[in-house]
Amino acid sequence: MTTTGAVHGCPVNESFDPLSADFLADPHAVLAALPRSEQPIFFAPSIGYYILTRYADIEQVFLDPATYSAAVAQAPLVPVVPEAQRILLAGGHRPQPSMVSLDEPEHARLRKPAARAFSMKRVSALVPVIEATTARLLDAVGPAVEFDLVAALAFPLPANIVFSLMGVPERDYAELKHWSGYRAALGWGRPAPEDQVEIATGMAAYRRYLRELVDAKAAAPGDDLTSDLLAIQRENPERLTVEEIASILFSLSFAGHETTTGLIGNTVRRLLEVPERWSAIAADPGLIPPAVEETLRYDPSVPVWRRVTTRPATLAGLKLPAGAKLFLWLAAAGRDAAAFSQPDAFDVHRPDSGRHLAFGKGLHYCLGANLGKLEAQIAVTALADRYPRLRLAPDQRLAFHPNISFRGPQVLRVRTQ
Ligand code: HEM
């Protein structure tokens, strides 16, 4: 180890900070300025992680879960102050709490029932619901000449869908959405110590709410995923506990909307950036699914995911010890010239954009990939149908939530004519 915390022989980049204003404004510009081919792996003291930029190395990590554990997937990047820790623990928020950060065999225990309850049948049945929700949200825009696409559609659509899938009453949607902001800050941001107590209190309330939802569905089942999971639990209480059902809901409730809000915002942004792109998809909606796929490669809404070594490993030619924390830069993998030709060009006709790593790969491969893509496709289809001449409003500076893993414009002003 060097004084920075990196192993000997590993390049160290003192100035790389994925939470800096420059990085948040334009991570691809930061990536373009890095000496990628000479340094496919480097250490960033700002967060204490090894940064991986090559597609092949990141894929290798995803495909070897015995060497690369998911335990750090949502670990705070900064120390959590004792008072906030106490509130989190009292609220049932344990350090290794949910599907995405568990290794085998505990991971499979949660994933199997969730995948079963999250079947293709349930997802397909959602198509008319997603279409109707999109139409209702766009109707509410009315005759406005300019509106914020995120507030009007990208934000409420995925939230409404995932919460209704879970069986959350509509009156509680806003509160769940609010708690999710705390979750992004705690797991993937750098919250100041003075803000951590408020965040922890919100997280504890979020956990409590989900446990109460499970109790309410146990007493009065409905046609929703929570009730499906309870049915599985009743069949075989050994396989799934009530506590674990609340944990699955904790995973889905967050993963199911923040990611998709970003995907819709990023897709519309990239399509409107060049007006001819929008005209092309408005004229030929068949181009919309490939455009969503290309956005996942070019500007993914989950640009970074994390792993930690369980034992010594060699990665990108570097010998790492056990306990080395890895920052898998999925957005950089999408721009790797060894994986995609002309990676910095956005091209809806690209034949292989679907090879992106935006949903991860292997055992933890995103459970909601089909649902997220479907929502984005339906949202863009409805927008292009109503507004074939949609344009970005001029003079706007896009802002992004300060965290490493969830990315999409917080506001995207568009003009309808
Ligand atoms: C549309 C944009 C989405 C993106 C870019 C995305 C991305 C990801 C990524 C990168 C992972 C980690 C994969 C790994 O560790 O190998 C993941 C896992 C997960 N995602 Fe998504 N996701 C999206 C939408 C959704 C939706 C809509 C849902 C559910 C309603 C969802 C549920 C999950 C769950 C439950 C996991 C954990 C799976 C496991 O640990 O086995 N995601 N997602």
Side-chain angles (χ1 to χ4, degrees):
M1 291 275 191
T2 64
T3 49
T4 60
V7 285
H8 278 295
C10 181
V12 174
N13 187 333
E14 294 285 349
S15 62
F16 183 88
D17 179 3
L19 289 160
S20 67
D22 281 356
F23 190 97
L24 291 170
D26 191 353
H28 294 110
V30 174
L31 174 69
L34 290 173
R36 270 179 97 177
S37 39
E38 300 96 78
Q39 296 185 3
I41 186 167
F42 63 88
F43 187 77
S46 66
I47 52 169
Y49 273 72
Y50 291 88
I51 314 294
L52 284 167
T53 58
R54 282 199 309 215
Y55 183 102
D57 300 326
I58 294 174
E59 189 180 36
Q60 177 187 336
V61 170
F62 276 134
L63 293 178
D64 184 357
T67 307
Y68 304 103
S69 159
V72 290
Q74 44 193 358
L77 290 163
V78 288
V80 177
V81 297
E83 174 64 1
Q85 274 184 28
R86 194 192 56 72
I87 296 170
L88 288 172
L89 279 174
H93 186 73
R94 282 178 288 279
Q96 261 218 1
S98 60
M99 198 188 314
V100 78
S101 58
L102 286 170
D103 293 321
E104 303 315 312
E106 290 82 6
H107 167 254
R109 252 181 88 76
L110 295 193
R111 176 151 178 136
K112 273 194 197 135
R116 195 175 127 193
F118 210 77
S119 65
M120 200 59 212
K121 191 168 146 244
R122 213 172 248 296
V123 172
S124 308
L126 284 172
V127 171
V129 183
I130 302 171
E131 285 174 343
T133 309
T134 304
R136 183 168 52 78
L137 292 168
L138 288 179
D139 285 349
V141 168
V145 173
E146 186 174 315
F147 67 98
D148 171 14
L149 178 91
V150 179
L153 184 65
F155 187 86
L157 175 66
N160 281 22
I161 298 304
V162 81
F163 298 153
S164 70
L165 189 74
M166 288 164 52
V168 173
E170 201 162 343
R171 61 176 181 277
D172 298 337
Y173 290 2
E175 192 146 47
L176 266 144
K177 215 45 214 180
H178 181 66
W179 289 328
S180 296
Y182 287 141
R183 189 164 173 195
L186 183 74
W188 294 274
R190 193 185 280 152
E194 60 273 22
D195 295 333
Q196 290 185 12
V197 169
E198 182 191 337
I199 291 174
T201 308
M203 294 286 287
Y206 183 9
R207 290 280 187 171
R208 198 176 321 115
Y209 177 89
L210 292 174
R211 278 196 305 272
E212 285 169 8
L213 178 71
V214 176
D215 291 344
K217 294 290 168 186
D223 180 16
D224 52 54
L225 190 135
T226 308
S227 305
D228 285 1
L229 290 171
L230 281 160
I232 294 173
Q233 191 267 338
R234 270 192 300 274
E235 268 170 39
N236 189 347
E238 296 287 292
R239 254 187 66 198
L240 190 65
T241 66
V242 170
E243 195 61 30
E244 284 171 335
I245 295 177
S247 173
I248 290 173
L249 296 182
F250 184 65
S251 298
L252 292 179
S253 62
F254 182 76
H257 65 86
E258 210 71 26
T259 53
T260 311
T261 297
L263 178 58
I264 297 171
N266 294 341
T267 306
V268 174
R269 173 193 179 189
R270 297 309 180 179
L271 289 172
L272 291 182
E273 229 165 33
V274 176
E276 293 73 37
R277 283 184 197 151
W278 190 260
S279 310
I281 61 116
D284 179 4
L287 291 175
I288 292 171
V292 170
E293 212 67 74
E294 177 66 344
T295 305
L296 285 159
R297 178 197 71 81
Y298 183 85
D299 189 10
S301 56
V302 180
V304 173
W305 210 242
R306 288 180 279 163
R307 290 290 190 264
V308 59
T309 52
T310 58
R311 54 195 180 201
T314 301
L315 197 54
L318 189 72
K319 284 197 165 66
L320 294 171
K325 293 184 285 182
L326 309 174
F327 178 104
L328 311 178
W329 197 351
L330 308 180
R335 301 290 188 102
D336 182 351
F340 299 100
S341 71
Q342 297 195 307
D344 293 322
F346 182 94
D347 178 5
V348 298
H349 298 288
R350 187 181 288 279
D352 60 350
S353 27
R355 285 180 50 239
H356 60 69
L357 296 175
F359 293 117
K361 193 159 185 164
L363 292 179
H364 286 271
Y365 180 80
C366 175
L367 210 49
N370 287 330
L371 175 61
K373 287 197 281 191
L374 193 66
E375 288 179 46
Q377 289 164 9
I378 291 174
V380 177
T381 304
L383 269 176
D385 183 45
R386 287 191 192 210
Y387 308 113
R389 286 145 61 89
L390 199 68
R391 295 286 177 267
L392 283 178
D395 304 324
Q396 55 180 323
R397 230 184 123 98
L398 301 183
F400 297 86
H401 186 278
N403 79 87
I404 60 166
S405 279
F406 300 98
R407 183 177 170 84
Q410 287 186 305
V411 172
L412 189 69
R413 287 191 297 113
V414 293
R415 294 186 72 89
T416 56
Q417 45 186 275

